[in-house]
Amino acid sequence: MTVRRILIGSPIRQKPEILTLFLQSLERLRHATWQADYVFIDDNEDAASVLLTQFTEAVHAQGSSTVRLIAGSKTSSAYKRDEITHYWNDELIGKVADWKDHFIQMAREEQYDALFLVDSDLLLHPETMESLLEADKPIISAIFWTRWQPDGAELPQVWLKDHYWPWQTDDDSADVQQERLKLMTKLRLPGVYDIGGLGACTLISREALEQPISFRMIPNLSLWGEDRHFCVRAASLGIGLSVDTRYPAFHIYRDTDMPRALQYFRYTASEVQEPRRSPHFFVRNAGPKLVLSMTARNEEGRYLDEALLRHREYIDAAVIIDDGSTDATKEIIHERLDGIPLFYVRNEVSRFANEIELRRQQWDATVGLRPEWILNLDADEYFEDRFAVEIASLLENPLASCYLFRLYDFWNERQYRDDQYWQAHHTYRPFLARYTPGYPYQWNEARQHCGRFPNNIFDPPPHLSSLRLKHFGWAREADRLFKAARYAELDPEAKYGWQEQYDSILGVPHLVDWQENELAPSAIETASS
């Protein structure tokens, strides 16, 4: 097998703590079909320069690769960054463009099979290079996602046309929003896709290097940034541009990204020793695969104990909002989830009177972990037994974004209610959803019955599951008395619910015996709450 020679080039002016992780991510790239040489522009202060020297010495000691350090030409325009954004000007961009063109010329003259240009604030997945080479495209970037503004959505470094379309545009019509959603959804699925612009983590093949590609500014274009001029020039030469979403990189855009950067390093570390070669494996959000998300309040002696014992069999982490408990709920949570990453938040004063406030708090705490999937359950709910066996197959479906289930309201330990007022099990509802950073989630702002998830969780269309969820919140008379009184207090005019159903809480219900693992008849509708 022919081993391809790859030149890895990076202009570097970086903080030592970020540069350390960047260099480590280069070191742990898997080399099965390629060999690396490195060329770095050292435009750093002393501490970072020392790190580059140490990296050079370590690589040379191994004897299989070379590292060339080129002193940067420091200018009066210092590169600045803060917790808001990075500050560029024309002089800095021109300097970077010249350096990248210098790398292109080196790769041409020295007959490298490809040039890999990568920014020094990126962390690479160990499979990055093997995946890019396997795609066999003339110019291709590994995707990464960035929150360009602190309060903005996470967006990719690739686009379709113009400056950064469809992510930035003055046209916010329904058609553009739909294109934005389609592209966002596609880029979250593992694959290789044609795009119109890319940068910062790019493999340029020998085929493309032989063309007059360049990062120099095209004088009659007002597009800002050297990557855009590179992409326009490549497209005009008939060179295709692609993005590989199978192994996303991680962008340390702000110092506050460092905790997640370290998390990304941990979650991808196992791939160094035992790489998964399936094209369907990729690190979507650099976080746990399945997170249990829950609110709880005064659950001692109820169903939380049993629920957590069941959930711990298949979850990777848990986020639980303790909404003002005055009993042993905290102790139950920590004891039953011992050994599982737990993010416990306590509200000194309950927020349930304004449920949307509580659900938003729960959501924000959960998505802060950047999970792949969120299982959103209350403290008195758990699935039938076969869920623990079948959940893995649900999570592995690359086409699924949300699963809907039927919820059965138990009126005692072995019977559920089924009458004209209580028919939740005839409706499919969302309890398991894939989290997509950057997606414009929207909430039902109702004070009560606002839904556990954002109300556009159904986009794209969800999948129905035959697995059934058991809800014990009504299973004891004391629970029913308490809830009837609570709804009378919080929603006396039934603005957010159904008055006849409220009135039936303490009525005479029709009950049905529960049969474990029984496939119930298909439901006829879906609901968002």
Side-chain angles (χ1 to χ4, degrees), residues 50-66:
V50 170
L51 290 173
L52 289 176
T53 299
Q54 293 173 342
F55 179 85
T56 301
E57 293 171 349
V59 170
H60 287 168
Q62 295 172 3
S64 59
S65 300
T66 64

Side-chain angles (χ1 to χ4, degrees), residues 308-352:
L308 294 181
L309 284 176
R310 290 171 175 263
H311 300 327
R312 67 172 291 126
E313 296 182 20
Y314 43 77
I315 64 173
D316 300 301
V319 173
I320 300 183
I321 308 297
D322 185 345
D323 194 40
S325 295
T326 57
D327 61 1
T329 294
K330 176 181 178 180
E331 288 73 18
I332 294 170
I333 293 170
H334 284 80
E335 179 180 344
R336 290 306 182 215
L337 294 180
D338 182 44
I340 291 175
L342 169 63
F343 298 84
Y344 170 86
V345 180
R346 173 174 169 77
N347 294 337
E348 293 300 326
V349 178
S350 173
R351 296 184 173 185
F352 188 80

Side-chain angles (χ1 to χ4, degrees), residues 62-304:
Q62 295 172 3
S64 59
S65 300
T66 64
V67 182
R68 281 170 279 188
L69 297 181
I70 301 174
S73 55
K74 299 183 185 294
T75 67
S76 58
S77 296
Y79 175 60
K80 298 178 181 178
R81 51 178 284 181
D82 57 27
E83 287 303 300
I84 303 299
T85 188
H86 294 197
Y87 300 91
W88 291 88
N89 58 41
D90 291 340
E91 181 183 355
L92 288 170
I93 290 173
K95 184 169 69 171
V96 171
D98 289 342
W99 286 337
K100 290 181 177 179
D101 277 358
H102 181 62
F103 295 155
I104 289 175
Q105 190 60 29
M106 290 178 62
R108 285 174 180 154
E109 293 176 353
E110 299 176 25
Q111 295 294 302
Y112 280 93
D113 294 302
L115 169 66
F116 183 53
L117 297 177
V118 58
D119 287 0
S120 62
D121 55 1
L122 293 174
L123 305 184
L124 304 177
H125 188 281
E127 291 293 306
T128 297
M129 187 63 72
E130 294 292 347
S131 185
L132 292 175
L133 290 170
E134 185 271 337
D136 194 26
K137 297 291 185 178
I139 299 178
I140 185 170
S141 283
I143 201 169
F144 60 85
W145 299 77
T146 306
R147 198 180 301 275
W148 302 113
Q149 296 298 324
D151 57 349
E154 278 194 338
L155 297 173
Q157 95 285 13
V158 299
W159 60 98
L160 293 184
K161 62 182 180 180
D162 300 330
H163 179 75
Y164 192 45
W165 192 93
W167 317 120
Q168 291 181 355
T169 173
D170 294 332
D171 181 1
D172 201 32
S173 64
D175 288 344
V176 171
Q177 292 183 36
Q178 185 63 28
E179 288 299 316
R180 191 180 296 145
L181 175 59
K182 285 171 55 180
L183 182 59
M184 180 81 72
T185 303
K186 181 170 72 172
L187 294 179
R188 288 295 180 179
L189 296 175
V192 176
Y193 307 104
D194 294 334
I195 39 85
L198 48 73
C201 190
T202 304
L203 184 70
I204 306 172
S205 69
R206 162 56 50 185
E207 171 192 349
L209 289 169
E210 291 174 349
Q211 300 293 317
I213 56 174
S214 171
F215 287 87
R216 294 190 313 274
M217 183 170 63
I218 301 171
N220 61 346
L221 285 184
S222 61
L223 295 176
W224 189 80
E226 81 284 358
D227 286 328
R228 290 169 180 83
H229 291 265
F230 171 82
C231 293
V232 169
R233 191 176 276 109
S236 69
L237 292 168
I239 304 173
L241 303 173
S242 305
V243 62
D244 184 348
T245 67
R246 293 174 289 190
Y247 298 97
F250 185 90
H251 190 194
I252 311 177
Y253 193 63
R254 300 178 180 85
D255 290 347
T256 50
D257 292 328
M258 285 297 289
R260 285 183 55 220
L262 295 172
Q263 184 183 52
Y264 174 90
F265 230 81
R266 289 194 299 271
Y267 274 96
T268 56
S270 62
E271 298 302 305
V272 179
Q273 299 300 325
E274 298 180 2
R276 302 186 203 181
R277 295 172 175 80
S278 167
H280 294 301
F281 172 74
F282 67 113
V283 179
R284 179 184 305 276
N285 300 324
K289 188 174 186 68
L290 177 62
V291 170
L292 171 67
S293 181
M294 178 182 289
T295 64
R297 174 176 167 81
N298 289 338
E299 305 295 340
E300 182 180 7
R302 299 185 71 246
Y303 301 95
L304 178 63

Side-chain angles (χ1 to χ4, degrees), residues 292 306-307 310-311 314 375-378 380-388 391 394 403-408 410 429-432 452 465-472 514 516-517:
L292 171 67
E306 175 68 16
R310 290 171 175 263
H311 300 327
Y314 43 77
L375 180 64
N376 194 327
L377 298 177
D378 284 350
D380 50 16
E381 297 171 345
Y382 52 83
F383 280 92
E384 60 184 315
D385 294 345
R386 63 193 181 99
F387 182 84
I391 177 63
L394 300 184
Y403 285 99
L404 310 185
F405 306 86
R406 290 153 299 174
L407 178 143
Y408 289 72
F410 279 68
R429 302 170 188 270
F431 295 98
L432 177 63
R452 308 184 190 195
S465 172
S466 64
L467 295 165
R468 298 172 299 166
L469 182 63
K470 303 162 76 171
H471 175 223
F472 291 94
W514 172 265
E516 189 69 20
N517 297 329

